[in-house]
């Protein structure tokens, strides 16, 4: 039988800077959803990539003194770049598209031509506003207080010959799509789109530029490059092989089941994208899901605001799975959330170390201690009846079951665990991974309570009388852990592998089907107490380490050496010759009282009379290390008073900046040179 297909995408990222935790959030969420569909046995295609054209990249490359292609190559393929980050975060994308790939560029040219030929793209003059960082055109009425409505930055006047896409023609169909289908979710985003963009009237969209060259050239009109969003949006189809021979999966996977996107690009995905697909006569994606932003101190993270959080540092300190889990567990997927390191550590400690970690380590340790790591055969068998009873009863009926006897707890736990998959699936199908995790943790917490209710340590005091009951209890805990482990796999794939091997769950116990069945784990499975899956984090220590790592990373990101720009204005030779440079020997050097900057030099300048020079270099040298050195001074400057002392001349130093820190070296010359020798 044909497996159900599921095509899911992330936005393709701008490689204009290193990616931050906000980008990571979006990709990890998409990855967890893709893994969930794979777990269900579906034929999944998960696409991500990079969106590499546009003026912003062209400008950044120029600043860095490299070609745009060299610039993006470094950020996409280089060490610590986009591909490295996704590898580190265990992202399971099936394909990675770069919009500079030849097959994509050629396909975009064909797509543009097709819309031109069918009359939906026409030539006109663009007059309006342009936000460079967002690569977005705006009409006057769309601006917010005269600034870009997305990022709040200044916009520029723009006027040039350009091609336009007849977006206005599709206004009614788009409105119908948004209002009368569940194409766009969460629902709140529909009102935003209709009220802010459709009701005021959809204007035709400028889809080519002539003021820069870093883009897909319009092949039938040299000088024009395709607007970066047209180029970017069609990646979802070219990466499957649409109008190119590189891939051959278009018929198999298109239309996409869902595009996961951040809220600020919902407009492009829910208005412009379907309109262009309509123009091309292509099927529309089934859904666009607009997630919220991770905020830092209440604002959106952005490199230019200098408030980005580095996922590399967090993953290094807490582990990839803890970070993935935190992102999905803490922030409801459709809304904004405030990121903080404290919240991250709290979540690790509460959910992973306390709840899940404790359940696993207590259970495996007790199976080890009381049964040598292997429960007696038959201890799980009786549960088959409980299973039937529990599933027939459902969790709501638990309250009316007989209270007091131990079986009541068994039944409650089994009913809750065996029905977990249904609740989890419902949440995942609604793109609410945070709710799915809530359900799993509810069961984990119940299992921890079950340990306390049954007090295995008390049962173990009389193994002869209670051994069978104790084995039962242990089996129930292992089986609950297994079910939770299966459903946590899309979120923490690496750690769940370890969990399965600790509780002895083989491949048959790790499947989607097995997550809804009680009694899959063989009762004599080999249980091993392994490493602690999620160690507790010491908040103060971790925060201090993070701060140090962030400072180090900030420093490393600064240029290694920065030099003062050379002066281009010429100085007449005679003027230069008027400066009298001499070798001077340091007879004495001391700190000037009450000044932490100034050193006071007593110098032999060859005249027979000591010369005094004050120099603001106390942060670079200790006075005693300079005594006896031969330095260079200009000796014919007018005397100046500093801190009440006279300074006659100036010592010459070399200055530069290293990783953001100013450095200074006094020019020291050969000690053979006599005091007073003229330097010219
Ligand atoms: O928009 N919190 O690329 P991009 C949550 N190239 N999500 C965030 C975020 C934050 N703080 N910061 C960024 C683009 N994102 C286009 C996409 S698709 C055809 C073209 C999300 O690198 C953002 O919302 O600026 C977006 O979904 C994604 O990261 C890529 O952003």
């Amino acid at each position: 039988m044909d497996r159900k297909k599921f095509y899911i995408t992330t936005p393709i990222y701008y490689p204009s800077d290193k990616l931050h935790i906000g980008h990571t959030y979006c990709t990890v969420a998409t990855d967890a959803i893709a893994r969930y569909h794979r777990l269900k046995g579906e034929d999944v295609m998960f696409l991500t990539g990079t969106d590499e054209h546009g003026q912003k990249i062209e400008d950044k490359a120029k600043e860095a003194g490299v070609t745009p292609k060299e610039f993006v190559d470094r950020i996409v393929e280089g060490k610590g770049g986009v591909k490295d980050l996704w590898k580190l975060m265990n992202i399971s994308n099936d394909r990675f598209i770069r919009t500079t790939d030849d097959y994509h560029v050629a396909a975009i040219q064909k797509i543009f031509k097709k819309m031109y030929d069918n009359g939906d793209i026409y030539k006109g003059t663009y007059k309006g506003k342009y936000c460079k960082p967002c690569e977005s055109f705006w009409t006057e009425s769309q601006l917010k207080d005269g600034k870009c409505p997305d990022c709040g930055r200044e916009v520029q006047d723009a006027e040039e010959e350009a091609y336009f896409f007849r977006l206005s023609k599709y206004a009614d169909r788009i409105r119908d799509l948004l209002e009368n289908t569940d194409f766009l979710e969460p629902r709140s985003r529909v009102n935003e789109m209709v009220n802010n963009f459709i009701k005021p009237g959809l204007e035709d969209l400028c889809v080519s530029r002539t003021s820069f060259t870093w883009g897909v050239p319009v092949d039938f009109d040299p000088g024009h490059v395709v607007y970066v969003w047209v180029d970017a949006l069609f990646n979802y189809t070219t990466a499957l092989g649409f109008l190119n021979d590189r891939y051959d999966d278009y018929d198999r996977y298109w239309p996409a089941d869902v595009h996961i996107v951040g809220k600020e690009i919902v407009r492009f995905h829910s208005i412009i994208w379907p309109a262009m697909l309509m123009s091309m006569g292509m099927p529309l994606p089934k859904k666009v899901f607009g997630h919220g932003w991770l905020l830092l101190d209440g604002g959106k993270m952005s490199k230019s605001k200098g408030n980005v959080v580095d996922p590399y540092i967090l993953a290094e300190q807490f582990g990839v799975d803890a970070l993935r889990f935190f992102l999905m567990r803490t922030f409801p997927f459709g809304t904004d959330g405030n990121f903080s390191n404290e919240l991250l550590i709290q979540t690790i400690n509460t959910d992973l170390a306390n709840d899940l970690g404790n359940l696993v380590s207590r259970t495996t340790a007790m199976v080890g201690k009381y049964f040598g790591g292997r429960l007696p055969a038959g201890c799980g068998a009786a549960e088959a009846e409980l299973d039937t009873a529990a599933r027939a009863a459902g969790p709501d009926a638990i309250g009316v079951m007989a209270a007091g006897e131990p079986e009541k707890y068994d039944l409650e736990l089994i009913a809750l665990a065996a029905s977990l998959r249904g609740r989890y699936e419902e949440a995942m199908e609604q793109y609410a991974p945070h709710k799915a995790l809530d359900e799993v943790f509810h069961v984990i917490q119940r299992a921890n309570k079950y340990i306390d209710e049954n007090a295995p340590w008390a049962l173990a005091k009389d193994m002869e009388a209670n051994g069978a009951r104790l084995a039962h209890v242990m089996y129930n805990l292992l089986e609950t852990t297994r079910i939770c482990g299966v459903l946590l796999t899309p979120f923490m794939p690496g750690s769940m592998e370890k969990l399965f091997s600790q509780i002895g769950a083989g491949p048959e116990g790790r499947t989607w089907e097995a997550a809804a069945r009680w009694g899959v784990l063989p009762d004599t499975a080999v249980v091993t107490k392994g490493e602690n899956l999620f160690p507790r984090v010491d908040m103060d220590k971790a925060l201090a380490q993070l701060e140090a790592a962030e400072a180090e990373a900030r420093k490393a990101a600064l240029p290694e050496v920065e030099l003062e720009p050379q002066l281009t204005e010429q100085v007449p030779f005679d003027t230069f010759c008027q400066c009298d440079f001499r070798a001077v020997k340091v007879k004495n050097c001391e700190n000037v009282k009450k000044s932490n900057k100034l050193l006071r030099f007593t110098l032999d300048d060859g005249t027979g009379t000591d010369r005094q020079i004050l120099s603001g270099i106390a942060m670079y040298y200790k006075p005693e290390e300079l005594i006896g050195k031969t330095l260079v001074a200009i000796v014919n400057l007018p005397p100046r008073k500093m801190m009440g002392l006279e300074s006659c001349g100036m010592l010459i130093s070399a200055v530069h900046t290293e990783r953001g820190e100013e450095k200074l070296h006094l020019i020291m010359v050969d000690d053979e040179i006599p005091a007073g020798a003229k330097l010219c």
Side-chain angles (χ1 to χ4, degrees):
M1 209 184 68
D2 241 11
R3 286 192 300 155
K4 184 172 178 285
K5 308 212 168 21
F6 192 81
Y7 179 29
I8 181 168
T9 67
T10 69
I12 47 172
Y13 298 86
Y14 282 126
S16 57
D17 280 304
K18 277 181 69 170
L19 301 189
H20 56 66
I21 194 78
H23 302 112
T24 310
Y25 172 61
C26 182
T27 312
V28 164
T30 313
D31 183 66
I33 298 167
R35 285 178 184 271
Y36 154 73
H37 283 274
R38 282 197 205 102
L39 181 63
K40 285 175 81 177
E42 294 171 22
D43 170 6
V44 173
M45 166 60 80
F46 167 19
L47 173 71
T48 188
T50 41
D51 174 11
E52 306 186 357
H53 290 125
Q55 188 165 8
K56 190 163 61 174
I57 302 259
E58 188 175 286
D59 290 352
K60 285 247 172 181
K62 203 175 283 169
E63 245 172 63
V66 293
T67 65
K69 185 65 169 57
E70 283 166 347
F71 182 83
V72 290
D73 278 352
R74 203 153 62 191
I75 300 188
V76 178
E77 311 277 349
K79 190 166 173 290
V82 181
K83 286 189 175 173
D84 262 5
L85 179 61
W86 297 157
K87 199 163 156 204
L88 171 75
M89 293 308 300
N90 211 351
I91 301 301
S92 62
N93 56 298
D94 299 285
R95 204 155 282 175
F96 190 101
I97 184 171
R98 299 184 59 181
T99 56
T100 49
D101 288 343
D102 289 346
Y103 74 91
H104 172 80
V105 170
I108 292 299
Q109 290 178 323
K110 289 184 192 153
I111 289 166
F112 197 86
K113 182 71 170 34
K114 191 159 178 213
M115 290 194 281
Y116 177 75
D117 287 343
N118 72 21
D120 273 350
I121 285 182
Y122 63 92
K123 203 175 205 176
T125 309
Y126 177 77
K127 279 201 195 93
K129 305 286 177 188
Y130 188 68
C131 175
K132 220 176 180 185
C134 294
E135 317 249 22
S136 295
F137 292 107
W138 301 102
T139 56
E140 203 71 59
S141 64
Q142 286 171 335
L143 300 181
K144 223 186 209 160
D145 306 323
K147 305 218 167 103
C148 171
D150 272 354
C151 72
R153 279 180 272 217
E154 294 292 336
V155 288
Q156 300 163 354
D157 282 320
E159 179 173 339
E160 59 188 49
E161 180 193 85
Y163 286 94
F164 286 82
F165 172 70
R166 280 187 213 286
L167 189 57
S168 55
K169 175 174 152 186
Y170 295 97
D172 292 344
R173 283 175 70 186
I174 299 290
R175 183 165 182 173
D176 182 50
L177 175 73
L178 295 180
E179 288 185 331
N180 300 321
T181 72
D182 54 9
F183 174 75
L184 175 59
E185 286 189 20
R187 209 57 208 163
S188 56
R189 308 246 180 254
V190 171
N191 303 335
E192 244 170 79
M193 290 301 116
V194 172
N195 294 335
N196 299 349
F197 300 107
I198 300 192
K199 281 193 184 155
L202 272 189
E203 291 173 35
D204 288 352
L205 177 76
C206 178
V207 288
S208 79
R209 305 298 316 270
T210 51
S211 54
F212 63 92
T213 54
W214 181 239
V216 176
V218 176
D219 52 355
F220 57 88
D221 194 348
H224 286 261
V225 293
V226 176
Y227 174 41
V228 68
W229 270 101
V230 176
D231 168 6
L233 285 163
F234 275 97
N235 92 86
Y236 300 132
T237 62
T238 59
L240 297 179
F242 182 64
L243 295 183
N244 68 79
D245 295 332
R246 169 79 177 268
Y247 298 110
D248 192 19
D249 300 309
Y250 178 75
D251 293 335
R252 181 162 166 193
Y253 291 113
W254 191 257
D257 290 273
V258 65
H259 295 309
I260 303 289
V261 303
K263 64 177 185 178
E264 84 283 20
I265 59 173
V266 163
R267 178 172 77 99
F268 297 95
H269 284 82
S270 67
I271 297 178
I272 297 172
W273 180 221
M276 288 195 298
L277 289 169
M278 287 172 188
S279 168
M280 292 287 293
M282 294 161 73
L284 305 186
K286 294 178 202 154
K287 191 177 295 302
V288 170
F289 189 93
H291 66 73
W293 284 344
L294 281 196
L295 307 174
L296 199 64
D297 306 324
K300 189 178 181 228
M301 283 176 211
S302 86
K303 181 83 185 204
S304 55
K305 284 199 236 155
N307 65 346
V308 295
V309 175
D310 186 341
Y312 277 98
I313 294 180
L314 297 180
E316 159 87 22
Q317 177 132 1
F318 304 111
V320 168
D321 277 352
L323 180 57
R324 286 174 60 108
F325 172 79
F326 162 72
L327 293 173
M328 293 296 92
R329 166 80 164 135
T330 317
F331 309 107
F333 193 43
T335 55
D336 291 350
N338 260 310
F339 175 91
S340 79
N341 289 331
E342 287 83 351
L343 193 57
L344 167 58
I345 296 168
Q346 264 165 25
T347 308
I348 294 176
N349 283 344
T350 309
D351 291 341
L352 296 182
N354 274 4
D355 289 352
L356 177 59
N358 263 341
L359 174 63
V360 179
S361 63
R362 288 206 288 176
T363 304
T364 52
M366 288 190 289
V367 175
K369 186 167 166 198
Y370 305 140
F371 298 98
R374 203 162 180 171
L375 298 178
C379 71
E383 309 307 338
E385 286 137 55
L386 280 171
D387 170 31
T388 326
R391 274 198 280 160
D396 293 342
I398 296 298
V400 297
M401 302 269 170
E405 68 269 29
E407 285 72 16
K408 181 216 163 206
Y409 300 131
D410 297 1
L411 199 56
E412 192 176 324
L413 181 69
I414 295 168
L416 207 60
S419 59
L420 170 61
R421 197 191 80 173
R423 294 187 300 279
Y424 170 96
E425 183 175 20
E426 197 181 320
M428 289 303 283
E429 293 296 326
Q430 292 168 355
Y431 295 95
H434 56 288
K435 276 196 196 152
L437 287 172
D438 224 27
E439 293 294 348
V440 178
F441 274 76
H442 182 55
V443 175
I444 291 172
Q445 282 149 12
R446 183 66 195 82
N448 273 320
K449 196 166 148 229
Y450 177 85
I451 299 184
D452 299 335
E453 287 162 348
N454 284 287
W457 42 89
L459 293 174
K461 286 195 178 128
D462 186 350
M463 283 303 271
E464 208 164 310
N466 305 323
R469 172 70 198 152
L470 181 57
H472 242 34
V473 168
M474 287 297 130
Y475 182 81
N476 288 343
L477 287 168
L478 289 172
E479 195 50 350
T480 306
T481 306
R482 180 189 63 78
I483 289 177
C484 293
V486 175
L487 300 178
L488 287 175
T489 305
F491 298 91
M492 299 186 281
S495 310
M496 290 310 106
E497 285 277 314
K498 291 184 191 155
L499 177 144
F500 290 136
S501 81
Q502 292 191 7
I503 63 169
E508 68 294 341
R510 305 177 184 192
T511 65
W512 178 248
E513 288 66 36
R517 274 178 34 226
W518 186 263
V520 174
L521 190 75
D523 40 22
T524 54
V526 178
V527 175
T528 347
K529 175 154 172 41
E531 63 172 307
N532 195 347
L533 291 179
F534 302 104
R536 227 189 131 68
V537 177
D538 178 325
M539 173 80 79
D540 291 340
K541 215 163 120 194
L543 287 176
Q545 279 168 354
L546 276 180
E547 208 170 296
E550 279 161 9
E552 194 56 38
R554 270 196 301 275
K555 210 167 151 196
L558 292 168
E560 198 169 352
V561 174
E562 270 180 294
L563 303 174
E564 288 276 324
Q566 291 196 2
L567 302 181
T568 46
E569 203 181 327
Q570 293 184 341
V571 177
F573 193 70
D574 288 348
T575 311
F576 163 72
C577 291
Q578 285 169 16
C579 294
D580 196 359
F581 289 89
R582 301 282 168 160
V584 291
K585 298 217 183 259
V586 182
K587 292 175 71 175
N588 193 26
C589 181
E590 60 191 28
N591 287 105
V592 171
K593 277 194 196 103
K594 293 193 188 149
S595 165
N596 44 18
K597 272 170 119 184
L598 286 178
L599 292 184
R600 174 186 180 175
F601 288 85
T602 306
L603 302 159
D604 175 1
D605 61 5
T607 59
T609 312
D610 287 349
R611 173 181 291 271
Q612 173 167 290
I613 292 183
L614 303 177
S615 184
I617 56 170
M619 55 282 228
Y620 303 106
Y621 289 103
K622 289 198 179 76
E624 55 276 15
E625 57 184 325
L626 293 173
I627 294 171
K629 301 284 184 208
T630 310
L631 308 178
V632 176
I634 304 184
V635 294
N636 61 340
L637 292 172
R640 283 172 66 192
K641 274 233 158 127
M642 290 182 247
M643 303 289 287
L645 299 166
E646 193 163 72
S647 178
C648 302
M650 197 175 91
L651 294 170
I652 306 297
S653 321
V655 286
H656 74 282
T657 306
E658 209 171 288
R659 300 254 186 251
E661 206 178 306
E662 281 183 14
K663 300 272 174 176
L664 177 142
H665 295 92
L666 275 171
I667 302 298
M668 298 189 190
V669 293
D670 196 331
D671 289 333
E672 301 287 294
I673 299 172
K678 185 166 173 73
L679 307 175
C680 52

